[in-house]
Amino acid sequence: MTESATQIKFPYRYDIVGSLLRTQALKDAHAKFSAGQIDASQLKTIQRQETRKIVAKQVDLGLKDITDGEFNRSWWHLDFLWGLTGVGHYDYHKSYKFHGSKTRTDNAELVGKIAFNPNHPFFESFEYLKSITPDGVTPKQTIPSPSMLFRDNRSDNWSDYYDSWDAYLDDLAKAYHETILRFYELGCRYIQLDDTTWAFLISKLNETASDPETHAKYIKLAEDAVLVINKLLENLPEDLTVTTHICRGNFKSTYLFSGGYDDVADYLGQLHYDGLFLEYDSDRAGNFDPLDRIWNGDRDKRIVLGLITSKSPELENQDTVITRIKQAAEKVPLENLALSTQCGFASTEEGNKLTEDQQWAKLTLVKSIAEKVWHA
């Protein structure tokens, strides 16, 4: 799905993960909508006004690809999953237990067979994003990985609708494949699947190593994730770039998972993505030793190093980041590396604990360092 390594267009040398801090105007609009002071149409108008502003800001910054900041959603994953045919919304009565914080209790569940929804609301949102993206800049669409649907109890009732687990996974891959093709028809040429499954598995595979039966369950999850992802990626247009972001959780500057990539590196190396965004902003992510297994010698694949944190406002030292890039280049050729923040700035509408100015300073730093390293 990409050109040769020397001609790879995306991921760009300085790239953006996706979500951006919601502006105060958008936060106020959501509060008014919840209080019944404005209707859905008025909320949408404000959302689009604010989206236009942050697109302009990204363009002014000089980014080669931009996103809508995920201003059209509350959650990075659930809003998309709810838009698929066969997925419903329910109150799980449990929150994601981040270190030092808890989320709201919304969740998704199967309510029928999984299928492509031609009226998924994200299509309209992408059309708007593309309409306000200037020539020479690529609008990037972010959606959650399909693996997010067969985790966290979301597919517990699969047998109510399917004769076999494999049949369910086939439908899930087909629904995603058709969804991505629809984005392509609308002009999308760069799409990213965000995924916390691998960080979840990093913790589970390690802690169950002495329990073969439980360990086998997580091995099966990893194998199923590879199967579904590679199946949905089959026979996509050659000029479409599809990447993934491997996330350890991001809520109000906290996290869910820790651990290096060693236990999942071989699975990540099997994925047929054009690029992988990897978190490497702290010791929680481990060292660069597994990088060559993740890259797996694919000259058409780019590894994006998330060396700049989106969780705190302090700016990293440029020389220190450049040194780390050089260290990573001992495992993966420099031409197959790129740079980004380790995650987005607002995986949920609450956002991380930094200001909008500090957010833009982080992205400016990413660009500045990449220009020095790759002369991008």
Side-chain angles (χ1 to χ4, degrees):
M1 285 181 286
T2 54
E3 301 168 289
S4 66
T6 56
Q7 296 177 312
I8 294 174
K9 185 176 181 181
F10 294 108
Y12 200 68
R13 296 299 187 187
Y14 45 89
D15 215 304
I16 183 169
V17 174
S19 64
L20 295 168
L21 294 172
R22 306 317 193 251
T23 62
Q24 192 59 51
L26 184 57
K27 290 179 180 179
D28 292 344
H30 276 289
K32 290 179 181 178
F33 177 73
S34 297
Q37 297 172 3
I38 61 174
D39 61 23
S41 176
Q42 291 170 304
L43 174 60
K44 182 178 179 180
T45 296
I46 296 170
Q47 174 207 311
R48 289 193 164 185
Q49 289 172 347
E50 296 307 299
T51 300
R52 182 180 289 273
K53 291 177 184 177
I54 58 102
V55 164
K57 186 73 175 178
Q58 293 171 81
V59 172
D60 289 344
L61 184 61
L63 297 179
K64 300 298 183 182
D65 59 289
I66 55 90
T67 75
D68 61 5
E70 301 182 2
F71 278 21
N72 64 323
R73 59 185 110 169
S74 176
W75 299 84
W76 66 274
H77 56 330
L78 296 176
D79 293 79
F80 175 83
L81 297 178
W82 290 325
L84 294 172
T85 298
V87 180
H89 175 284
Y90 80 109
D91 187 340
Y92 185 42
H93 300 294
K94 295 180 182 179
S95 63
Y96 296 99
K97 294 176 177 60
F98 283 75
H99 291 257
S101 191
K102 293 182 180 181
T103 66
R104 289 163 281 136
T105 58
D106 299 303
N107 213 328
E109 65 177 347
L110 294 183
V111 294
K113 287 198 170 186
I114 293 292
F116 164 69
N117 175 12
N119 298 312
H120 197 297
F122 276 33
F123 296 142
E124 182 183 1
S125 293
F126 177 78
E127 287 185 280
Y128 178 70
L129 174 62
K130 188 172 186 303
S131 75
I132 61 174
T133 302
D135 292 341
V137 179
T138 299
K140 175 182 178 179
Q141 177 65 48
T142 61
I143 62 175
S145 166
S147 58
M148 299 307 302
L149 195 55
F150 51 89
R151 264 188 53 210
D152 298 334
N153 306 100
R154 297 184 188 117
S155 297
D156 284 357
N157 60 345
W158 65 268
S159 60
D160 291 346
Y161 310 106
Y162 289 94
D163 293 332
S164 71
W165 176 253
D166 288 344
Y168 164 56
L169 294 185
D170 283 345
D171 269 6
L172 181 56
K174 181 181 179 183
Y176 260 77
H177 182 82
E178 293 178 354
T179 298
I180 291 173
L181 284 179
R182 180 56 182 151
F183 277 120
Y184 183 85
E185 291 171 355
L186 296 173
C188 182
R189 295 296 180 268
Y190 186 7
I191 192 164
Q192 175 182 295
L193 277 59
D194 297 315
D195 204 340
T196 59
T197 300
W198 302 106
F200 169 76
L201 285 169
I202 285 169
S203 63
K204 292 301 182 182
L205 288 171
N206 183 270
E207 70 184 40
T208 63
S210 60
D211 180 355
E213 184 176 348
T214 304
H215 191 72
K217 180 178 71 173
Y218 295 114
I219 292 289
K220 180 66 164 60
L221 173 57
E223 293 172 344
D224 285 346
V226 171
L227 175 72
V228 172
I229 290 167
N230 283 345
K231 190 175 185 64
L232 74 88
L233 292 173
E234 289 178 356
N235 301 315
L236 289 175
E238 288 293 326
D239 60 340
L240 174 65
T241 296
V242 186
T243 63
T244 189
H245 170 235
I246 309 302
C247 180
R248 285 173 168 75
N250 190 44
F251 176 71
K252 293 183 177 180
S253 295
T254 60
Y255 63 93
L256 277 171
F257 308 114
S258 296
Y261 293 96
D262 302 79
D263 289 329
V264 298
D266 291 333
Y267 297 110
L268 295 179
Q270 296 174 44
L271 297 174
H272 297 163
Y273 285 118
D274 296 309
L276 293 93
F277 287 70
L278 302 179
E279 295 199 352
Y280 267 116
D281 64 322
S282 74
D283 292 340
R284 287 188 302 107
N287 57 39
F288 293 139
D289 287 349
L291 270 185
D292 54 347
R293 291 159 56 203
I294 296 171
W295 177 58
N296 204 21
D298 187 346
R299 308 295 292 192
D300 293 331
K301 181 177 293 183
R302 194 164 274 176
I303 301 295
V304 187
L305 303 170
L307 295 171
I308 309 296
T309 190
S310 67
K311 294 182 182 293
S312 64
E314 294 79 18
L315 288 177
E316 287 78 356
N317 179 276
Q318 286 202 27
D319 291 338
T320 300
V321 174
I322 290 172
T323 296
R324 295 199 69 196
I325 293 172
K326 291 178 179 177
Q327 291 170 346
E330 296 175 7
K331 292 290 183 177
V332 177
L334 187 63
E335 67 178 6
N336 289 93
L337 295 174
L339 182 66
S340 73
T341 55
Q342 116 284 345
C343 194
F345 293 89
S347 298
T348 67
E349 62 181 283
E350 288 86 354
N352 285 347
K353 296 179 179 179
L354 66 170
T355 67
E356 289 181 58
D357 285 345
Q358 291 166 338
Q359 165 187 262
W360 298 118
K362 289 280 184 175
L363 293 173
T364 299
L365 180 62
V366 169
K367 180 173 181 286
S368 176
I369 293 173
E371 288 174 333
K372 288 184 177 181
V373 173
W374 291 282
H375 308 290

